[in-house]
Amino acid sequence: MKQTTYILLLVILTANALSGQTFKISGKVVDEQNQIIPFANILLLKAADTTFVKGTSADDNGFFALTDVEPNLYLLQASYVGRGSEPRALDIKNDVSLGALIIPLETNELDEVVVTAQRPKLQRLPDRLVFSVENTVVSQGTSWDILKSTPGVIVNQDELLIRGQNATVYLNDRKVQLSGQEVQDLLQGLSGANIKSVEVIANPPASYDAEGGPILNIVTSKNIIPGYKGSINGTYTQAVFPKFSMGTSHYYKTDKLNLFANYTINPQKELRKTTKGIHFMDDTNTVFSEWDTNYNQINKSQSQNGSFILDYDFDERNSLNFTSNLLFNLDQDQNTNLNNEMRNGSGQLDSTFTTQNMANLDNTNLAFDLSYVHKLKKPGARLSANGHYTYFNGKSFQNLGSDYFDANGVFLREFGFDSDSEQDIQIFTGQLDYSTPIGNASFETGAKISSINSESNVDFFNFTGSSNTVDASLSDRYTYDENVYAAYLSFVKNWEKWSMKLGVRGELTEAEGTSLTLNQVNTQDFFEPFPSVYLLYSPSDKHSFSFDYGRNVNRPKYNDLNPFRFFFNENDYEQGNPRLTPSFSNNFNFNYTLNSEYFFDVYYRDNGSNIAYLVFQDNDNQTLVELKQNVLDSKSYGLDFTLSKSLMSSWFVYAYTSLFHEEETFLAAQSGNVEFTNEVNGVYAYLGNYLTLSKDGTFTGEVAATYISKFLFGSYVSDEQLNLTLGLRKTLFKNKIILSLAAEDILEKYVPTYRSQYLNQDNFYRRRPETQFIRFGFTYNFGNFRLEDNQRGIDKKERDRLQSQQ
């Protein structure tokens, strides 16, 4: 009897112990292509009646964990923007690690494929458009080719624009810290075969700096296999002058350590031809003098770029990253020969002059970035810290000399001078971020401080002759100090067919610019909030609607603040403006997507007192000055339509059309300071055809055409331009060798004329760089070249302002 009693007591105690014990369910959320889905909802339901028990959300890497789960029979399901995984039945008796829950984000129809090449996909997320190109025909080009083919991206004279604004290029959420042409050279050497997707972020959320405008983020594929890989790549371009680039990359990975090193050298010799015309007017707006100028400029440079990156994982919860980018572009030569004809109002030749303008430039740009990430005990929660330092030094020496002649070619006089300028910029930033899931939502917050110090000087000397526009008093010393203190909050929640993201960022700015020669001090001291809202509604697999709003700031570049003059000749020069102030924009977008093939976008942007590129002719002194200036008002709106579709198994078509209106109102400084509104109604169209020319998918081709009717550029309006391009690409020996051939601007119609014509202003220019060329490229991969590397840039908006757009 005693034994029976003991057994009964043991059973009761064991049952009580089990009833009080809880367990943990963990796993990962992916799509049907095994790509992670961040921030998906995780729902735990009772199997008996499907009543809700508890829920959570996946972190930014797709991982989730449900804790304190009592023993029972359950159904577990993951959902994301109206789409869900198949419910999984679970009998919880101990901790369960599920592996992956699969959410089919696309329809169940199989894509048309040609061996390994399938059609690209477009996916609308609350705050961005994702263009997935991995293992597609589009990925067979370079990273630059992929960006040019990305929906919503406008290509204008090798500038990447999103709704009329310059886009910032990121690589794996790290900014590519190079100038426009250098970014293009870098991406042309980065194979698109390693690109997973491109994210178009027209309205960056609160976690990004309020400054900087739209973002293009290139996301590379990931691989955790240890090993080594390397590559050698190069290009040869035949334009007016031949040019080439060479580079090598090396990547090594162990279980804890990632090392990446890259070196690129890019010697360039380029001819730029420019035609300028000015009609000077009297008080009755009658032309009394016409100036026609031809510039022939030869630029020689030999930029060298090196990168070193170290990633180290101390354990599963702690990791460190060090990134350095070193750019040297020393001993650059710019030799410009200018011929100018001056005619009277009747078109008769009055006089001529010639100018020889020789400049030598040195640029050094060094950046160092250190990040530490700590994953907290709570699944999905993390704390990260970042420190950054940039040193920039730019030097230039200019020698300018002009000879004047009468209508018969008789020498009249000469004028010339030398100028010597230098700029040193140092940037320090520190940032702290924290993110955590909250039930079936997620929360993120952070703070950042940035400090910028810029010192500049320019000296004019060795004068010959005399001029009413150039004198030694233009020599100056200019200092600029800026501190920005920022903090942000962001909240994300997904449920049923809806997705929502809310954020707000606050930035306190303190800045002071001092011109010693002018004895002038300009200060800024203000606090501004930057809210953002994103809503996405997907009633079915075929339809989705989204709306987003964001407020941003555009800060002046450091060079634009310097009150210095750079002379093309003594009557034509660029001048800095220390009175520039930040401008604030409000951006509204509404989007509709049909079947992930047809995309409609309506947008409106109020740019406020935007910083614009303006040119003014002084009719009395017969000079032309170009400068940046805050306008009185600026706005733009438009309708975009995108088609992304496979017409047949070997032919994929991407078409993008934008109907837009742009306008800016500014003070006409040389026209009595009256308000003038410059506006255009324009059309941008792009048609890209991507062809698979071999059964095994290793030989591909591209035929693309770009058309722009008109474009607004400050006080200028451009005329139409057309670009036709052809490309071929062949991979050999299982991607060990990649050969490419590209021809640009085949019709030689991709060079527009920019004209500023209003009131008493009438001038134009047509700049002709070497847009027409044939480029041969090659890449040789060795080692375990299917590994993906940890290559990245350095994400610092402060570095964007190191140099002005040319």
Side-chain angles (χ1 to χ4, degrees):
M1 185 69 181
K2 279 186 178 182
Q3 187 176 6
T4 303
T5 303
Y6 289 150
I7 293 175
L8 182 61
L9 182 61
L10 180 61
V11 169
I12 294 174
L13 292 175
T14 303
N16 287 335
L18 289 175
S19 64
Q21 188 174 1
T22 60
F23 302 99
K24 175 182 176 181
I25 304 173
S26 60
K28 184 180 182 180
V29 185
V30 300
D31 63 16
E32 68 274 22
Q33 294 185 347
N34 201 35
Q35 304 300 319
I36 63 171
I37 301 178
F39 309 119
N41 288 332
I42 312 299
L43 303 177
L44 186 66
L45 311 174
K46 283 187 177 180
D49 54 8
T50 68
T51 56
F52 176 78
V53 177
K54 62 173 53 185
T56 186
S57 63
D59 63 16
D60 55 355
N61 292 313
F63 291 103
F64 69 89
L66 288 167
T67 57
D68 299 327
V69 179
E70 297 180 355
N72 208 334
L73 294 176
Y74 296 99
L75 294 176
L76 183 72
Q77 185 178 32
S79 66
Y80 186 77
V81 196
R83 298 177 175 88
S85 66
E86 290 293 329
R88 183 175 297 189
L90 299 175
D91 185 6
I92 301 301
K93 297 178 180 178
N94 46 38
D95 290 344
V96 176
S97 179
L98 293 173
L101 296 177
I102 301 174
I103 298 179
L105 293 181
E106 301 292 336
T107 60
N108 292 327
E109 298 179 3
L110 293 177
D111 295 322
E112 299 182 17
V113 297
V114 180
V115 187
T116 60
Q118 53 189 333
R119 72 178 180 89
K121 297 179 181 179
L122 287 170
Q123 181 184 0
R124 179 75 66 182
L125 298 182
D127 60 350
R128 66 197 65 192
L129 182 70
V130 180
F131 186 39
S132 299
V133 299
E134 189 173 27
N135 296 323
T136 70
V137 176
V138 176
S139 70
Q140 300 308 300
T142 68
S143 299
W144 178 256
D145 297 328
I146 293 174
L147 289 188
K148 288 168 49 178
S149 305
T150 299
V153 176
I154 293 176
V155 182
N156 180 37
Q157 294 295 297
D158 288 333
E159 289 186 350
L160 300 172
L161 308 176
I162 297 176
R163 293 168 184 165
Q165 290 183 302
N166 285 309
T168 303
V169 177
Y170 281 65
L171 189 59
N172 290 329
D173 282 321
R174 294 287 188 181
K175 183 180 178 296
V176 178
Q177 296 294 342
L178 299 170
S179 67
Q181 182 60 48
E182 291 162 343
V183 167
Q184 180 180 346
D185 293 340
L186 171 68
L187 296 180
Q188 283 175 339
L190 180 62
S191 172
N194 296 328
I195 304 304
K196 173 186 173 185
S197 62
V198 177
E199 298 175 345
V200 182
I201 312 175
N203 251 347
S207 57
Y208 292 87
D209 286 351
E211 177 194 2
I215 289 172
L216 286 172
N217 182 38
I218 301 173
V219 181
T220 60
S221 304
K222 300 296 181 184
N223 196 307
I224 59 174
I225 302 174
Y228 165 79
K229 73 171 184 178
S231 68
I232 298 174
N233 59 75
T235 62
Y236 174 83
T237 302
Q238 182 60 57
V240 177
F241 295 113
K243 45 187 71 72
F244 71 92
S245 67
M246 290 290 295
T248 180
S249 298
H250 302 271
Y251 174 67
Y252 176 71
K253 178 180 176 63
T254 67
D255 291 336
K256 290 190 174 185
L257 178 68
N258 292 347
L259 291 176
F260 175 83
N262 169 265
Y263 171 76
T264 303
I265 184 170
N266 187 20
Q268 296 282 323
K269 182 180 181 182
E270 183 176 12
L271 173 65
R272 293 189 178 186
K273 293 184 176 182
T274 302
T275 301
K276 277 190 177 183
I278 311 172
H279 290 167
F280 291 107
M281 302 180 185
D282 59 23
D283 293 339
T284 63
N285 287 351
T286 301
V287 176
F288 70 85
S289 181
E290 299 179 7
W291 288 31
D292 294 311
T293 311
N294 291 312
Y295 296 79
N296 282 334
Q297 183 182 85
I298 296 178
N299 296 331
K300 296 179 181 179
S301 64
Q302 185 170 285
S303 66
Q304 301 180 68
N305 183 27
S307 300
F308 176 77
I309 300 164
L310 181 149
D311 291 311
Y312 186 77
D313 298 326
F314 296 98
D315 49 44
E316 293 182 353
R317 295 170 57 186
N318 297 279
S319 61
L320 184 73
N321 165 259
F322 172 75
T323 299
S324 61
N325 290 336
L326 313 176
L327 173 64
F328 302 93
N329 200 347
L330 307 178
D331 200 25
Q332 305 170 62
D333 285 323
Q334 292 183 354
N335 293 328
T336 306
N337 292 315
L338 177 156
N339 292 285
N340 187 88
E341 292 184 348
M342 293 172 281
R343 301 178 183 273
N344 60 25
S346 301
Q348 297 175 328
L349 184 65
D350 275 341
S351 59
T352 65
F353 70 84
T354 62
T355 298
Q356 187 174 33
N357 189 345
M358 295 182 294
N360 183 268
L361 305 94
D362 290 332
N363 286 332
T364 300
N365 192 330
L366 311 178
F368 306 93
D369 199 274
L370 184 65
S371 297
Y372 173 76
V373 177
H374 173 65
K375 296 180 180 179
L376 303 175
K377 291 183 179 180
K378 181 179 180 181
R382 56 186 284 168
L383 183 68
S384 61
N386 173 268
H388 172 86
Y389 172 71
T390 284
Y391 171 75
F392 173 85
N393 176 263
K395 298 178 181 179
S396 68
F397 180 85
Q398 180 185 21
N399 172 260
L400 185 147
S402 298
D403 293 325
Y404 290 80
F405 305 88
D406 65 15
N408 298 317
V410 178
F411 176 79
L412 297 175
R413 65 182 180 89
E414 65 177 348
F415 175 75
F417 64 89
D418 294 338
S419 68
D420 194 1
S421 63
E422 182 175 4
Q423 183 170 33
D424 283 302
I425 298 174
Q426 296 188 76
I427 301 172
F428 300 89
T429 69
Q431 185 166 342
L432 191 67
D433 298 280
Y434 169 74
S435 60
T436 182
I438 303 177
N440 61 351
S442 63
F443 172 77
E444 185 178 5
T445 185
K448 178 182 178 180
I449 180 173
S450 62
S451 177
I452 297 96
N453 175 262
S454 172
E455 297 184 3
S456 308
N457 66 79
V458 61
D459 293 310
F460 290 87
F461 54 94
N462 290 341
F463 288 90
T464 58
S466 62
S467 170
N468 62 350
T469 59
V470 189
D471 58 60
S473 67
L474 295 172
S475 299
D476 197 2
R477 301 291 184 273
Y478 183 78
T479 62
Y480 180 78
D481 297 295
E482 177 185 278
N483 293 308
V484 178
Y485 309 90
Y488 73 92
L489 301 171
S490 181
F491 179 77
V492 179
K493 183 176 175 62
N494 303 309
W495 68 97
E496 295 294 329
K497 301 175 181 181
W498 289 86
S499 180
M500 177 185 70
K501 186 171 186 177
L502 305 176
V504 64
R505 185 182 186 91
E507 292 191 354
L508 173 65
T509 301
E510 298 174 348
E512 181 177 281
T514 303
S515 171
L516 300 182
T517 299
L518 299 178
N519 194 25
Q520 184 180 83
V521 179
N522 295 287
T523 61
Q524 301 173 31
D525 189 353
F526 60 88
F527 173 82
E528 291 287 340
F530 300 96
S532 58
V533 177
Y534 307 88
L535 294 173
L536 177 63
Y537 173 62
S538 300
S540 68
D541 291 344
K542 290 187 175 181
H543 305 276
S544 73
F545 304 85
S546 68
F547 168 81
D548 62 83
Y549 161 76
R551 185 171 187 260
N552 303 100
V553 60
N554 179 24
R555 302 181 193 275
K557 299 186 187 303
Y558 310 120
N559 279 353
D560 294 336
L561 292 166
N562 295 351
F564 302 163
R565 293 182 180 181
F566 179 84
F567 288 86
F568 304 104
N569 61 70
E570 55 266 36
N571 295 88
D572 185 359
Y573 56 90
E574 292 181 347
Q575 181 172 339
N577 183 1
R579 295 183 179 85
L580 288 176
T581 59
S583 63
F584 303 91
S585 63
N586 292 280
N587 308 285
F588 302 85
N589 304 296
F590 177 77
N591 313 284
Y592 167 64
T593 301
L594 173 63
N595 203 32
S596 294
E597 291 182 337
Y598 306 93
F599 298 80
F600 301 86
D601 297 88
V602 179
Y603 69 90
Y604 174 83
R605 186 173 68 244
D606 181 356
N607 293 316
S609 299
N610 185 45
I611 300 174
Y613 182 84
L614 304 180
V615 59
F616 297 113
Q617 64 187 59
D618 184 337
N619 290 305
D620 294 330
N621 295 316
Q622 293 181 278
T623 59
L624 189 73
V625 58
E626 303 168 19
L627 75 163
K628 296 289 183 67
Q629 182 172 296
N630 288 98
V631 301
L632 300 176
D633 185 52
S634 174
K635 61 175 66 76
S636 61
Y637 50 85
L639 169 65
D640 297 349
F641 170 70
T642 302
L643 169 66
S644 176
K645 191 175 181 64
S646 292
L647 300 184
M648 59 180 62
S649 60
S650 60
W651 183 10
F652 169 74
V653 170
Y654 160 58
Y656 172 58
T657 301
S658 178
L659 307 175
F660 59 86
H661 173 85
E662 294 184 321
E663 63 178 70
E664 288 188 329
T665 302
F666 57 88
L667 284 178
Q670 293 294 333
S671 308
N673 280 326
V674 300
E675 294 184 10
F676 178 79
T677 299
N678 203 19
E679 58 185 323
V680 297
N681 293 306
V683 177
Y684 176 91
Y686 174 82
L687 176 63
N689 300 271
Y690 302 93
L691 308 171
T692 302
L693 304 175
S694 64
K695 291 184 178 181
D696 60 1
T698 61
F699 187 34
T700 59
E702 173 189 348
V703 181
T706 303
Y707 173 76
I708 305 177
S709 63
K710 290 182 178 180
F711 214 79
L712 188 65
F713 183 52
S715 56
Y716 287 113
V717 176
S718 74
D719 60 7
E720 67 178 9
Q721 50 191 302
L722 174 67
N723 186 21
L724 177 65
T725 66
L726 298 174
L728 296 172
R729 187 174 187 270
K730 175 66 176 177
T731 61
L732 303 169
F733 309 113
K734 297 182 179 180
N735 278 335
K736 278 195 173 182
I737 295 178
I738 304 171
L739 304 175
S740 64
L741 173 66
E744 289 273 348
D745 194 16
I746 295 173
L747 302 178
E748 203 173 0
K749 293 184 178 295
Y750 202 40
V751 182
T753 298
Y754 293 84
R755 180 173 291 275
S756 180
Q757 189 174 37
Y758 62 92
L759 303 175
N760 65 347
Q761 303 285 297
D762 187 1
N763 57 83
F764 74 90
Y765 77 90
R766 185 174 187 266
R767 186 169 293 139
R768 174 75 185 176
E770 297 181 14
T771 58
Q772 189 177 53
F773 59 80
I774 296 176
R775 174 175 290 138
F776 303 88
F778 82 94
T779 299
Y780 173 64
N781 297 304
F782 49 88
N784 188 2
F785 60 89
R786 291 180 177 84
L787 287 171
E788 298 306 326
D789 58 43
N790 58 337
Q791 180 180 358
R792 69 201 64 177
I794 295 180
D795 175 11
K796 289 292 167 290
K797 291 295 181 186
E798 293 78 13
R799 290 171 53 83
D800 286 346
R801 296 154 61 200
L802 286 177
Q803 68 178 52
S804 304
Q805 295 290 332
Q806 297 296 325

